[in-house]
Amino acid sequence: MKSIAGGLSHVRQQIDKAAINCGRDSRSIQLLAVSKTQPEEHLRAAYELGQTAFGENYLQEARNKQQALADLDIEWHFIGPIQSNKTREIAASFDWVHSVDRLKIARRLSEQRPVDMPPLNICLQINVDQEESKSGILLEDLADLVEAIRPLPNIKLRGLMAIPAVSDEYQQQFTSFMQLSKAIKGYPEMDTLSMGMSGDMDAAIAAGSTIVRIGTAIFGQRERR
Ligand SMILES: *Cc1c(COP(=O)(O)O)cnc(C)c1O
């Protein structure tokens, strides 16, 4: 097992460096530790090193960890594909959902958010490179979706999320992320750009990311699920 302490401190340094390189304050960039497939002890270890926000992709796996880690004050983010029969449980057990890509899901999350909880923070997932296999909406459909979501009372539309096509090229990564940075300017109520993973966080930060979602660079290679 890779050292989580080493991984975390390396990622924090990389965020600081990337921020300095583009003249940003690194405190404006939140590190979300993506803990899918990691056992609960790995999350606990990261938590003890000061990491409090965790992202999970699979609901049942996440629920098991939430139960096991109920003694910790974790901010839970759901970042995986959403089936509509899972929205009730997601609405009741997460602080953020990054992967909203249709009105039906947004409506259900709002309706099903328990009344004693604050509004659920959501991001709209954008299929920024227009890949057929990827979830997310096209940017050209964003305005209509935002308008339909605005009146929903129990969700708070925070921003945009993307998983660009895999590329090793900084310039291509940057170009994809910049599309989101430009798009968000039309919506002053949004303050979040959820973009950047282990392989492209430098470009994401240069393009204005406010949440980087990092798994491998913290925890090491995942076992295939
Ligand atoms: C797995 C995953 C990540 C983290 O990817 P790494 O390359 O391991 O950093 C980020 N975002 C989403 C949506 C993911 O599914």
Side-chain angles (χ1 to χ4, degrees), residues 84-92 105-115 154:
S84 57
N85 64 346
K86 300 288 169 61
T87 50
R88 185 174 299 282
E89 209 174 350
I90 292 172
I105 296 294
R107 279 209 182 109
R108 292 174 67 98
L109 290 171
S110 181
E111 275 164 24
Q112 296 168 344
R113 181 70 167 172
V115 288
N154 302 321

Side-chain angles (χ1 to χ4, degrees), residues 34 36 57 79 161 163 197-198 213-216 222:
V34 174
K36 60 175 174 232
N57 294 59
I79 62 174
M161 179 273 233
I163 310 170
M197 316 198 332
S198 295
R213 310 179 310 269
I214 310 297
T216 312
R222 283 181 288 277

